[in-house]
Amino acid sequence: MTESSSEQPREGRRRNMEKPPVFAPDSSGLLSEDQFLCSICLDVFTDPVSTPCGHNFCMKCIRTCWGDSEQCHCPFCKEKFTKRPELKVNTAFREVVDLFKKKTVLDKPEVLCDACIGVKQKALKSCLDCGLTFCKSHLEPHDHIPKLKKHRLINPLENLQDYICQRHERPLELFCRDDQNYVCQFCTEGDHKNHNTVLIEEESGEKKSQLEKTQTEMQHMMQYRMKKIKDLKDSAELRKRNTEKEIADSIEVFTALMRSIERSQAELVKTMEEKQKAAEKQADDFIKELKQEIIELKRRDTELEQLSHTEDHLHLLQAYPSLCRPPQTKNWTDICIQPYLRVEPMRNALSQLQTGVENMMSEAVSTEVKRIQQFAVDVTLDADTAHPKLILSDDGKQVRDENRKQKLPDNPKRFNRCTCALGKEGFSSGRFYYEVQVSGKTDWDIGVARESVNRKGKIALSPLKGFWTMRLRNGNEYKACADSPFLLSLREKLQKVGVFVDYEEGLVSFYDAESRSHIYSFTGQSFTDKLYPFFSPCKNDGGKNSAPLIISPVSTTE
């Protein structure tokens, strides 16, 4: 073992990793511990800055959160700032934070000298060869006596006996890999003779490397959960706005069509509000659970951080088995708050007026389709991305599955397992719209994909994987390929599908281009890559699905 300024007793180390003490105003004039924690990284502030709304964050945390965006908002209260605030370190508050940090350090327990008689002095070093802990004055012989100069000194320890072989009374300086145990030099001449033994420093170095990998995994898990909290909050807020819009629209329909159903209207609003409250409660429960996991991960990360820098090799090896494995956490991949609320009670209440309502909505959607058709773009298929089984027309407007592979170069852009292709031009801003003829087919996938999607091997069509699509299977089964596939109820078989994207709004919508009716929308998405039109005619199926997907010119005439 070597001397280390970071070595501590195990009990002391555990106490240091516990929750810092609370500073009461009447004792030191400082605030509670929670006032010193950044709500982004959940750690004590580093270079604290204040936003115009009065909340505090670490300088690095808030800058990372805002990125390069000109329009910013407070991560805590969501207040939006029309102009990006100029952040400066709050020097007065930083001094208070530094005082808090010093106080937590001063609260650490002291190790006392074993040689002192009467009032024991604070220990300066522990000697592994003597098996004792000494204060400054009792340590002096180790500086002058030649034999004592060779002794191994480390930072003072309360549990020094744990570092000494109880059988030979020698320092535990070796690790037996055969028995997974700590041994002294004399042990290797007896029971551990011919065993694979290495210096504790060597074994500690390997374990420390593993701990660093585990720590990296922990940090990624924390970052993912912090992002998940933000996504859940955003989804809940988006759902709330959609709910408010649905309530307003339903009131307008009731008023316009029949005042006699006011009672049904009130019941509808109540039901929707109850569903919204349930959705908000669900989001709050998820967020509480995520925060609890982050606290646990943060605690584990702190332990790993301390261990990764310690030279207390024995303690590192003792703690390694319990700390090298990530704690049990929930798989949050498919957990989300659905942003769109389907108003089933309204449909039941308006069953007698269904035709009139549908006509009104159809007219409104038709008007909306006419509006978005002005954003029509000329889409052409990119042959370099097409699966080898796909046949593209000379003009790049049609694609079908030939059910036989062509000899094509396997470039990085090409899909090599799934029969799909992308459009040539990508879009990183603004709005665009295109239409695809799907008549005569039993299976297909249509939508948009981000530039960085995986193109090799099996792919999963979902927003999490970078695909925003809808599909047809078995000739009559339509689904929106959300993170949890959503079955679509359509009255008529689709002949032509319109795809509309608003990049800044995070919107991808699908329309029946023939009837000019809305099918489904992905809302509240966050786009960073270029988006490309996505096409999959699916397998030929022995000729049953041999018809091509055809990119059609958009007509805005009646």
Side-chain angles (χ1 to χ4, degrees), residues 176-195:
C176 178
R177 287 177 172 173
D178 293 340
D179 296 338
Q180 292 291 298
N181 197 8
Y182 320 104
V183 297
C184 72
Q185 188 64 47
F186 288 170
C187 292
T188 61
E189 299 173 2
D191 294 343
H192 296 269
K193 188 176 183 180
N194 299 325
H195 284 195

Side-chain angles (χ1 to χ4, degrees), residues 477-493:
E477 185 180 290
Y478 295 96
K479 283 187 177 181
C481 300
D483 296 329
S484 297
F486 184 80
L487 185 63
L488 301 170
S489 178
L490 303 180
R491 288 192 170 189
E492 298 179 357
K493 186 176 177 64

Side-chain angles (χ1 to χ4, degrees), residues 315-373:
H315 176 68
L316 185 148
L317 295 174
Q318 291 171 336
Y320 176 80
S322 63
L323 293 179
C324 68
R325 296 184 298 274
Q328 292 294 326
T329 55
K330 180 181 290 187
N331 183 351
W332 292 93
T333 302
D334 295 323
I335 295 178
C336 64
I337 302 299
Q338 292 295 332
Y340 182 68
L341 180 65
R342 297 182 64 81
V343 195
E344 295 297 337
M346 184 180 74
R347 292 180 178 176
N348 296 332
L350 297 179
S351 58
Q352 295 181 353
L353 301 172
Q354 185 174 4
T355 301
V357 172
E358 289 181 351
N359 288 340
M360 292 177 62
M361 294 179 66
S362 177
E363 182 178 350
V365 174
S366 179
T367 302
E368 176 67 10
V369 172
K370 291 178 184 178
R371 184 186 69 82
I372 65 175
Q373 283 180 333

Side-chain angles (χ1 to χ4, degrees), residues 1-15:
M1 293 182 199
T2 58
E3 180 179 338
S4 169
S5 61
S6 60
E7 295 180 28
Q8 301 175 25
R10 285 175 294 178
E11 290 301 320
R13 186 182 299 277
R14 282 197 290 269
R15 286 194 291 269

